[in-house]
Amino acid sequence: MRRARYLATEGTEGVGKSTLCDLLAARLAERGVEVVRVREPGGTRLGEAVREVLLHGGEMSDWSEALLFAAQRAELMDRVVRPSLSDGKWVLSDRCYYSSLAYQGHARRLGVGRVWSVNGPALGGTLPDLVVWLDMDAEAALARQQGRDRIGAADPAWHREVWKGYRSLWTSDPGRMLRVDASAPAEGIAERLVAVLEDRGWLRDC
């Protein structure tokens, strides 16, 4: 029986994470893979409420922001991700804990290690098998956004710091993190990812 996998898309605002998730989910379904789609923040009743506060609420301290992200993540892991994987379903996530490391740990300057220290327990050992980093110039990606939330509306210079955070994470964890040029056509990116999954033997029946 094929082992269930946990995949996540990552990157700065506007790079096309949701679009790629849609395309990849369709291609996996064509190959008989049952996929559960989730998003961060969100994915549960509590998570969606936290999402509204984080993305559309008022100003908050940097640590409040980081801890709210960790809280919704703990709920998502417990309620959706781990049960789905246990049932043999693949989980495809729009963002994961790498967002907290890049946005709050690096760009908010809270410290990647310190932000990980609160996210590690929230994850409970459940980490993505593959994180696809959609790499693109931060300002060019911002121009592609359709409506900006509280975080997306931040200064472009800050979003460049987020990009630097992702670059640092990719450098330190290339085994889990796959860098993809987000300026390429989305259909082509999805096809490349399917080829990567096939090369790793993840789509092969045992």
Side-chain angles (χ1 to χ4, degrees):
M1 184 177 178
R2 183 190 292 139
R3 177 188 161 189
R5 298 288 177 176
Y6 175 19
L7 313 177
T9 59
E10 276 291 357
T12 55
E13 310 299 313
V15 293
K17 297 177 299 298
S18 299
T19 298
L20 180 58
C21 282
D22 290 339
L23 293 170
L24 187 55
R27 280 157 178 76
L28 289 173
E30 290 170 358
R31 287 161 174 78
V33 177
E34 189 171 358
V35 177
V36 174
R37 284 283 307 277
V38 296
R39 66 178 183 176
E40 291 194 19
T44 66
R45 183 176 179 180
L46 174 63
E48 292 298 323
V50 172
R51 181 185 181 89
E52 183 65 23
V53 172
L54 283 167
L55 301 186
H56 304 291
E59 290 303 308
M60 64 186 70
S61 73
D62 292 343
W63 267 113
S64 293
E65 181 180 88
L67 293 171
L68 283 171
F69 272 109
Q72 64 82 33
R73 191 166 288 127
E75 187 78 358
L76 184 64
M77 294 301 112
D78 189 59
R79 302 263 182 203
V80 181
V81 176
R82 275 192 291 273
S84 296
L85 294 172
S86 295
D87 287 343
K89 301 171 185 175
W90 286 40
V91 175
L92 182 53
S93 181
D94 184 337
R95 294 199 180 279
C96 67
Y97 73 96
Y98 272 54
S99 287
S100 286
L101 302 184
Y103 280 75
Q104 287 78 47
H106 185 88
R108 299 283 193 215
R109 302 190 185 283
L110 298 181
V112 171
R114 296 177 74 195
V115 170
W116 167 252
S117 72
V118 296
N119 279 274
L123 293 166
T126 304
L127 306 180
D129 294 290
L130 179 67
V131 177
V132 181
W133 172 35
L134 291 165
D135 182 15
M136 186 178 187
D137 175 78
E139 290 191 52
L142 284 173
R144 305 198 319 186
Q145 285 191 101
Q146 297 180 353
R148 296 188 178 184
D149 54 40
R150 186 182 68 86
I151 293 176
D155 188 90
W158 183 76
H159 285 283
R160 285 196 294 273
E161 290 301 313
V162 175
W163 177 85
K164 291 178 183 178
Y166 279 116
R167 182 180 61 181
S168 177
L169 292 169
W170 172 60
T171 301
S172 63
D173 195 6
R176 190 184 309 277
M177 199 171 189
L178 176 67
R179 177 186 173 276
V180 174
D181 180 2
S183 65
E187 293 276 354
I189 295 174
E191 292 298 335
R192 178 190 169 188
L193 290 179
V194 170
V196 168
L197 299 178
E198 289 176 338
D199 288 345
R200 296 188 180 197
W202 293 0
L203 295 177
R204 188 181 306 124
D205 289 324
C206 299

